[in-house]
PDB file of all heavy atoms in Angstrom:
ATOM      1  N   LEU A   9      -0.070   0.156   4.325  1.00 92.00           N
ATOM      2  CA  LEU A   9      -0.151   0.846   3.046  1.00 92.00           C
ATOM      3  C   LEU A   9      -0.057   2.340   3.347  1.00 92.00           C
ATOM      4  O   LEU A   9      -0.846   2.860   4.146  1.00 92.00           O
ATOM      5  CB  LEU A   9      -1.469   0.506   2.354  1.00 92.00           C
ATOM      6  CG  LEU A   9      -1.757   1.135   1.014  1.00 92.00           C
ATOM      7  CD1 LEU A   9      -0.745   0.666  -0.022  1.00 92.00           C
ATOM      8  CD2 LEU A   9      -3.160   0.770   0.569  1.00 92.00           C
ATOM      9  N   LEU A  10       0.911   3.021   2.757  1.00 95.00           N
ATOM     10  CA  LEU A  10       1.109   4.447   2.985  1.00 95.00           C
ATOM     11  C   LEU A  10       0.657   5.211   1.749  1.00 95.00           C
ATOM     12  O   LEU A  10       1.315   5.156   0.709  1.00 95.00           O
ATOM     13  CB  LEU A  10       2.582   4.746   3.283  1.00 95.00           C
ATOM     14  CG  LEU A  10       3.175   4.005   4.474  1.00 95.00           C
ATOM     15  CD1 LEU A  10       4.664   4.303   4.593  1.00 95.00           C
ATOM     16  CD2 LEU A  10       2.450   4.367   5.752  1.00 95.00           C
ATOM     17  N   LEU A  11      -0.451   5.896   1.862  1.00 96.00           N
ATOM     18  CA  LEU A  11      -0.989   6.671   0.751  1.00 96.00           C
ATOM     19  C   LEU A  11      -0.494   8.106   0.886  1.00 96.00           C
ATOM     20  O   LEU A  11      -0.695   8.748   1.917  1.00 96.00           O
ATOM     21  CB  LEU A  11      -2.521   6.613   0.764  1.00 96.00           C
ATOM     22  CG  LEU A  11      -3.104   5.198   0.729  1.00 96.00           C
ATOM     23  CD1 LEU A  11      -4.605   5.230   0.944  1.00 96.00           C
ATOM     24  CD2 LEU A  11      -2.761   4.526  -0.580  1.00 96.00           C
ATOM     25  N   GLY A  12       0.178   8.568  -0.144  1.00 97.00           N
ATOM     26  CA  GLY A  12       0.811   9.875  -0.110  1.00 97.00           C
ATOM     27  C   GLY A  12       2.322   9.746  -0.024  1.00 97.00           C
ATOM     28  O   GLY A  12       3.033  10.723   0.175  1.00 97.00           O
ATOM     29  N   VAL A  13       2.821   8.492  -0.191  1.00 97.00           N
ATOM     30  CA  VAL A  13       4.254   8.206  -0.191  1.00 97.00           C
ATOM     31  C   VAL A  13       4.543   7.357  -1.416  1.00 97.00           C
ATOM     32  O   VAL A  13       3.859   6.369  -1.671  1.00 97.00           O
ATOM     33  CB  VAL A  13       4.688   7.458   1.089  1.00 97.00           C
ATOM     34  CG1 VAL A  13       6.178   7.150   1.051  1.00 97.00           C
ATOM     35  CG2 VAL A  13       4.332   8.257   2.331  1.00 97.00           C
ATOM     36  N   SER A  14       5.563   7.730  -2.183  1.00 96.00           N
ATOM     37  CA  SER A  14       5.894   6.984  -3.402  1.00 96.00           C
ATOM     38  C   SER A  14       6.588   5.674  -3.051  1.00 96.00           C
ATOM     39  O   SER A  14       7.021   5.458  -1.911  1.00 96.00           O
ATOM     40  CB  SER A  14       6.805   7.817  -4.304  1.00 96.00           C
ATOM     41  OG  SER A  14       8.107   7.869  -3.754  1.00 96.00           O
ATOM     42  N   ALA A  15       6.743   4.802  -4.039  1.00 92.00           N
ATOM     43  CA  ALA A  15       7.430   3.523  -3.847  1.00 92.00           C
ATOM     44  C   ALA A  15       8.888   3.726  -3.438  1.00 92.00           C
ATOM     45  O   ALA A  15       9.485   2.851  -2.812  1.00 92.00           O
ATOM     46  CB  ALA A  15       7.350   2.687  -5.124  1.00 92.00           C
ATOM     47  N   THR A  16       9.453   4.871  -3.766  1.00 95.00           N
ATOM     48  CA  THR A  16      10.841   5.165  -3.386  1.00 95.00           C
ATOM     49  C   THR A  16      10.938   5.833  -2.021  1.00 95.00           C
ATOM     50  O   THR A  16      12.032   6.129  -1.561  1.00 95.00           O
ATOM     51  CB  THR A  16      11.516   6.054  -4.438  1.00 95.00           C
ATOM     52  OG1 THR A  16      10.799   7.295  -4.521  1.00 95.00           O
ATOM     53  CG2 THR A  16      11.557   5.380  -5.800  1.00 95.00           C
ATOM     54  N   GLY A  17       9.786   6.087  -1.380  1.00 95.00           N
ATOM     55  CA  GLY A  17       9.786   6.686  -0.049  1.00 95.00           C
ATOM     56  C   GLY A  17       9.638   8.187  -0.018  1.00 95.00           C
ATOM     57  O   GLY A  17       9.658   8.798   1.047  1.00 95.00           O
ATOM     58  N   GLN A  18       9.457   8.809  -1.180  1.00 97.00           N
ATOM     59  CA  GLN A  18       9.286  10.265  -1.222  1.00 97.00           C
ATOM     60  C   GLN A  18       7.881  10.627  -0.762  1.00 97.00           C
ATOM     61  O   GLN A  18       6.887  10.089  -1.274  1.00 97.00           O
ATOM     62  CB  GLN A  18       9.528  10.798  -2.633  1.00 97.00           C
ATOM     63  CG  GLN A  18       9.424  12.301  -2.725  1.00 97.00           C
ATOM     64  CD  GLN A  18       9.739  12.815  -4.117  1.00 97.00           C
ATOM     65  OE1 GLN A  18      10.022  12.055  -5.037  1.00 97.00           O
ATOM     66  NE2 GLN A  18       9.686  14.122  -4.271  1.00 97.00           N
ATOM     67  N   VAL A  19       7.776  11.534   0.195  1.00 98.00           N
ATOM     68  CA  VAL A  19       6.482  11.954   0.728  1.00 98.00           C
ATOM     69  C   VAL A  19       5.923  13.062  -0.156  1.00 98.00           C
ATOM     70  O   VAL A  19       6.482  14.148  -0.235  1.00 98.00           O
ATOM     71  CB  VAL A  19       6.613  12.448   2.190  1.00 98.00           C
ATOM     72  CG1 VAL A  19       5.270  12.923   2.714  1.00 98.00           C
ATOM     73  CG2 VAL A  19       7.176  11.345   3.069  1.00 98.00           C
ATOM     74  N   SER A  20       4.812  12.761  -0.840  1.00 97.00           N
ATOM     75  CA  SER A  20       4.153  13.769  -1.662  1.00 97.00           C
ATOM     76  C   SER A  20       2.977  14.382  -0.911  1.00 97.00           C
ATOM     77  O   SER A  20       2.584  15.509  -1.177  1.00 97.00           O
ATOM     78  CB  SER A  20       3.672  13.163  -2.979  1.00 97.00           C
ATOM     79  OG  SER A  20       2.797  12.077  -2.728  1.00 97.00           O
TER      80      SER A  20
END
Side-chain angles (χ1 to χ4, degrees):
L9 179 64
L10 302 175
L11 304 172
V13 179
S14 73
T16 61
Q18 182 177 1
V19 178
S20 57

